[in-house]
Amino acid sequence: MWEEAVQMNKQKRFYISKRTDLPRYQAWAIRGAAILLALIVCAIVTMLMTGENPISIYTTIFYGAFGTARRTWVTAQDLAILLGIALAVTPAFKMHFWNIGAEGQVLIGGLATTACMICLSDKLPNALVILCMVIASIAAGALWGFLPAFFKAKWNTNETLFTLMMNYIATQLAAYYIIVWEVPKGAGKIGIINQSTEIGWLPKIGNQYLLSIVLVAILTGVIYIYLNYSKHGYEIAVVGESQRTASYAGIKVDRVIIRTMVLSGAICGLIGLLLVGGINHTLTTTIVGGQGFTAVMVSWMAKFNPIIMVFTSLLLVFLSRGASEISSTFSLNHSFADILTGIILFFIIGSEFFITYKINLRKSAEKEA
């Protein structure tokens, strides 16, 4: 039996092996080739399924994201929110703590912000209300990050399931308080909070889009420095490589896990503040829009590099906004736009396989042996 297995292995014409070291320019060349191939496949699919000119489809995608000044600002704002959530989950991911709870952590930060805007609007000056919103949103997000980290550190619970379940708890809490605060009663929604007084509305910098963009840009630099040049960042990297090695090196693994998840949750809470206090001025259970899960892909595709995340976030936001424009312009089912997005992402993610591994053709001499 063993001899037959060896013989079958020898008869294979190729085999897969892990690359030792691939130059950066070659890695990006592979990614670029994958995107080009994805566009060609999308063009073929478009022609076969709809009969539309693929060039028109691609032009519409670009127009949907950058066609006007307002579309460009909205794209930049969406990019900032997605990037902010990706930055939040990255420290935990680099530590190999699989935080799938960003959706709930952002939502609970938004709920805390909403509570301050509604309950304190007639009790405190606007500046103090905003200060309370900042503190409450960060604290709520940090709590939502602390709980799974504490249970993981103390009893080694499954962090993926724990953080996922925390999403549902946050959603139900938001749904409950939306009914409590609904305006008018029976409407099932809060509506615009403090629309007449604008108490608790975050200040504008230049225009309504710029505040979140500037804050997330600053956050990107801070997280990059934190992960690459601080003691905490070093400890996160060591724990991610091996918890046993970290323990031997004198690093308190439990403390690192809890500290890192509190940081992740706090940043998510801050994004919830931006969504409620700076952008939407209301709260819904779908205000995060699945970006907590999309951020996982952003972080992973960028190899946990905050600078590269800017570009991966831009790609996903570009595809999302372009897909919506395709549906409206060509009167196509929105699922078709999702198909194109899925094809492009499939090729991009698949390219990482060829960056990490290579396919080798077995030499004739080896086959004869």
Side-chain angles (χ1 to χ4, degrees):
M1 193 71 176
W2 172 255
E3 292 178 355
E4 291 179 0
V6 172
Q7 189 64 28
M8 288 179 64
N9 188 52
K10 287 182 177 181
Q11 292 175 355
K12 292 180 180 178
R13 295 182 179 274
F14 60 87
Y15 62 96
I16 298 172
S17 63
K18 192 168 184 178
R19 295 183 187 272
T20 53
D21 187 23
L22 185 68
R24 184 172 296 182
Y25 74 91
Q26 289 187 14
W28 283 107
I30 292 174
R31 293 186 181 101
I35 293 174
L36 180 61
L37 186 59
L39 293 176
I40 294 173
V41 172
C42 286
I44 295 172
V45 171
T46 300
M47 294 175 63
L48 293 177
M49 295 183 64
T50 69
E52 297 286 351
N53 183 350
I55 302 299
S56 299
I57 294 288
Y58 294 142
T59 302
T60 303
I61 291 176
F62 184 85
Y63 181 80
F66 302 109
T68 65
R70 183 181 180 279
R71 290 175 189 267
T72 302
W73 278 114
V74 172
T75 298
Q77 186 182 68
D78 292 347
L79 162 65
I81 296 301
L82 179 59
L83 176 59
I85 301 174
L87 291 170
V89 300
T90 294
F93 283 168
K94 194 169 183 180
M95 187 179 61
H96 288 189
F97 186 104
W98 308 118
N99 177 18
I100 313 298
E103 192 90 1
Q105 291 157 19
V106 174
L107 184 58
I108 205 68
L111 177 60
T113 300
T114 304
C116 292
M117 293 175 71
I118 292 176
C119 299
L120 301 179
S121 61
D122 58 348
K123 297 180 177 63
L124 294 174
N126 185 44
L128 288 180
V129 172
I130 292 177
L131 178 61
C132 291
M133 289 162 51
V134 173
I135 295 173
S137 62
I138 292 176
L143 175 63
W144 238 244
F146 168 80
L147 291 175
F150 178 79
F151 278 81
K152 174 70 175 181
K154 297 301 181 183
W155 297 289
N156 197 31
T157 55
N158 187 302
E159 70 273 16
T160 304
L161 292 177
F162 203 123
T163 52
L164 189 62
M165 292 303 104
M166 294 292 285
N167 289 339
Y168 293 104
I169 296 173
T171 301
Q172 294 307 312
L173 280 172
Y176 173 79
Y177 281 103
I178 286 172
I179 299 301
V180 171
W181 295 324
E182 62 183 355
V183 177
K185 288 297 181 182
K189 60 182 181 180
I190 295 177
I192 302 300
I193 304 170
N194 301 335
Q195 187 170 10
S196 59
T197 63
E198 297 189 1
I199 296 293
W201 289 28
L202 296 180
K204 296 178 182 178
I205 303 177
N207 59 39
Q208 64 192 75
Y209 309 105
L210 199 54
L211 176 63
S212 56
I213 296 171
V214 170
L215 288 179
V216 173
I218 295 172
L219 182 63
T220 302
V222 170
I223 294 297
Y224 180 81
I225 294 171
Y226 178 79
L227 291 177
N228 293 283
Y229 300 104
S230 72
K231 178 184 176 183
H232 288 182
Y234 170 76
E235 291 177 345
I236 288 172
V238 175
V239 171
E241 289 294 328
S242 170
Q243 291 191 13
R244 180 173 296 179
T245 301
S247 297
Y248 287 152
I251 297 173
K252 296 183 178 179
V253 175
D254 292 354
R255 180 182 296 178
V256 174
I257 290 174
I258 293 173
R259 182 184 66 211
T260 304
M261 272 301 293
V262 167
L263 174 64
S264 290
I267 297 173
C268 283
L270 183 63
I271 301 301
L273 168 73
L274 292 176
L275 283 173
V276 174
I279 298 174
N280 297 290
H281 305 123
T282 189
L283 178 71
T284 66
T285 55
T286 58
I287 194 171
V288 189
Q291 292 183 96
F293 301 108
T294 307
V296 174
M297 188 182 301
V298 169
S299 180
W300 184 83
M301 288 172 60
K303 303 291 186 183
F304 312 136
N305 185 323
I307 305 302
I308 304 299
M309 282 181 215
V310 176
F311 301 99
T312 54
S313 298
L314 176 60
L315 174 64
L316 295 182
V317 170
F318 172 76
L319 291 175
S320 175
R321 290 191 56 77
S324 299
E325 187 68 17
I326 288 175
S327 300
S328 59
T329 301
F330 294 96
S331 300
L332 297 174
N333 189 304
H334 195 279
S335 298
F336 178 75
D338 291 337
I339 290 172
L340 297 185
T341 300
I343 291 173
I344 294 172
L345 292 179
F346 173 80
F347 275 89
I348 293 173
I349 296 173
S351 68
E352 297 299 321
F353 171 84
F354 294 98
I355 291 172
T356 307
Y357 300 94
K358 61 180 178 179
I359 299 176
N360 305 278
L361 188 63
R362 194 177 298 276
K363 296 179 182 179
S364 58
E366 291 178 352
K367 292 200 300 186
E368 291 175 1

